Amino acid sequence: MNFFLETIQVILLSIWYSVESFIHLFVPRKSKNIAGEVVLITGAGSGIGRLMAQEFAALGTVLVLWDINQEGMKETAKLAKQSGANRVHYYLCDCSDKNEVYSVADQVKQEVGDISILVNNAGIVTGKKFMDAPDSLIEKTVEVNAMAHFWTYKAFLPAMIANNHGHLVSIASSAGLIGVNGLADYCASKFAAVGFAESVGLELLASGKDGIKTTIVCPYFINTGMFDGCQTKWPRLLPILNPDYVAKKIIHAVLTDQIYLLLPRSMYLIAALKNVLQWKLTALLGSYLGFSVEIDCRTNLSLRTRLH
């Protein structure tokens, strides 16, 4: 195809995609049926992971729960069964350990079957300024929040590719889009998670595997306990999010194949401004919005669900 024809094609498709997006502001997208799908959720022992498990359970899925908290997973499994899950399986797994991820993944494939919806949700935060954070905590943050996604994809993506069917869900963070004072290692890990999910999604499209969907979730602070001590300067613009609300929005995004989910809606505008404003203006806006936090770090190194 020559330059002229390809340019015309891009212009026409751009117009169509824009019109389609505008239409869906008023006409809801059709939700897909995921009954019978096998859903794996990391960090499922508490918080958003537990709430997502209950939401998926109500849709008739088979659940596979991973966490380092055995008792937490037992409670999640109990609640998921009460919510209507066909089957619930749970496994102890430290997602920061590549060999353990591969080993437990093999066990899952033998005992449950292939995973068709993978939700990378496990995460930790140190809550220390960069120069105050011990090297071991920085390494752990990156291993859990970013590298674990590499290993779970390696373990479960081949079956999705073979079937050209599946859904990859990355519970990232608004801190994966905008730097936050006092969260350097956390932001780095979340920027990595977002970039990784985007890149693999593009790889799949380029290879013709359009049956495998990607959803990247970037919420602001969520009231799960992981960010105790965080406050919002302008609660109407950037509210501390309710966990139940976030879980329901994530499930809806999966059911409608939504690629990006930013919460609250104001994050779409804030993220866009960050990418076009001059640096001093960006810093001024960040200060105005309150992207400067002090965090209660009681939950350091607890592999638990978080959303920020």
Side-chain angles (χ1 to χ4, degrees):
M1 185 179 295
N2 63 37
F3 174 78
F4 176 75
L5 290 178
E6 189 167 342
T7 301
I8 294 298
Q9 181 185 50
V10 168
I11 292 173
L12 291 176
L13 285 174
S14 297
I15 294 172
W16 166 242
Y17 292 153
S18 297
V19 171
E20 182 183 42
S21 180
F22 179 77
I23 290 172
H24 285 303
L25 290 175
F26 307 97
V27 180
R29 295 179 185 273
K30 183 179 179 180
S31 296
K32 63 186 180 184
N33 182 5
I34 61 171
E37 300 276 6
V38 182
V39 181
L40 188 151
I41 305 172
T42 67
S46 63
I48 294 297
R50 174 175 292 173
L51 293 171
M52 285 192 293
Q54 292 176 264
E55 293 290 334
F56 276 118
L59 297 171
T61 62
V62 176
L63 285 174
V64 178
L65 313 177
W66 282 14
D67 206 301
I68 60 170
N69 181 349
Q70 180 86 356
E71 292 304 313
M73 282 193 295
K74 284 183 179 180
E75 180 62 21
T76 300
K78 175 184 175 182
L79 293 171
K81 289 177 181 177
Q82 292 174 355
S83 297
N86 289 335
R87 289 182 288 149
V88 183
H89 307 263
Y90 56 90
Y91 301 83
L92 281 174
C93 184
D94 180 352
C95 293
S96 68
D97 186 328
K98 176 178 66 175
N99 294 326
E100 189 168 334
V101 168
Y102 290 162
S103 176
V104 179
D106 287 340
Q107 187 180 353
V108 168
K109 285 180 275 190
Q110 292 171 7
E111 297 176 359
V112 185
D114 292 327
I115 299 300
S116 51
I117 300 177
L118 171 63
V119 184
N120 276 303
N121 170 71
I124 60 172
V125 61
T126 65
K128 296 179 182 294
K129 291 187 180 296
F130 173 64
M131 292 305 297
D132 296 329
D135 292 355
S136 60
L137 292 187
I138 292 174
E139 291 171 343
K140 193 70 172 179
T141 298
V142 175
E143 288 167 356
V144 174
N145 296 354
M147 296 308 300
H149 297 206
F150 286 63
W151 317 139
T152 56
Y153 274 41
K154 277 288 185 79
F156 297 114
L157 190 53
M160 295 185 192
I161 291 174
N163 299 319
N164 191 24
H165 175 76
H167 204 125
L168 302 165
V169 185
S170 176
I171 309 301
S173 170
S174 60
L177 302 172
I178 301 171
V180 180
N181 175 29
L183 292 175
D185 55 343
Y186 186 77
C187 287
S189 68
K190 291 304 178 180
F191 268 82
V194 171
F196 174 68
E198 287 181 344
S199 296
V200 174
L202 290 171
E203 281 187 22
L204 292 168
L205 282 177
S207 61
K209 300 300 179 179
D210 56 356
I212 304 172
K213 308 303 181 182
T214 298
T215 294
I216 303 169
V217 184
C218 297
Y220 189 61
F221 294 121
I222 300 178
N223 187 23
T224 59
M226 187 170 181
F227 284 92
D228 285 348
C230 292
Q231 298 179 349
T232 179
K233 188 175 180 181
W234 309 112
R236 289 189 177 274
L237 180 65
L238 285 172
I240 302 297
L241 299 169
N242 177 277
D244 290 294
Y245 167 77
V246 174
K248 291 181 185 299
K249 294 294 287 186
I250 293 170
I251 302 306
H252 180 264
V254 172
L255 294 178
T256 56
D257 294 331
Q258 184 175 340
I259 298 174
Y260 299 100
L261 173 63
L262 277 60
L263 296 170
R265 282 184 171 274
S266 58
M267 283 306 309
Y268 289 99
L269 175 60
I270 293 169
L273 289 174
K274 177 255 183 179
N275 290 322
V276 299
L277 293 179
Q278 189 261 357
W279 171 247
K280 288 183 179 180
L281 287 176
T282 300
L284 178 63
L285 179 63
S287 177
Y288 171 73
L289 293 174
F291 288 129
S292 176
V293 299
E294 292 184 9
I295 299 171
D296 182 337
C297 299
R298 291 173 296 176
T299 58
N300 283 356
L301 298 186
S302 291
L303 188 61
R304 56 189 295 173
T305 54
R306 110 290 37 221
L307 286 215
H308 164 275

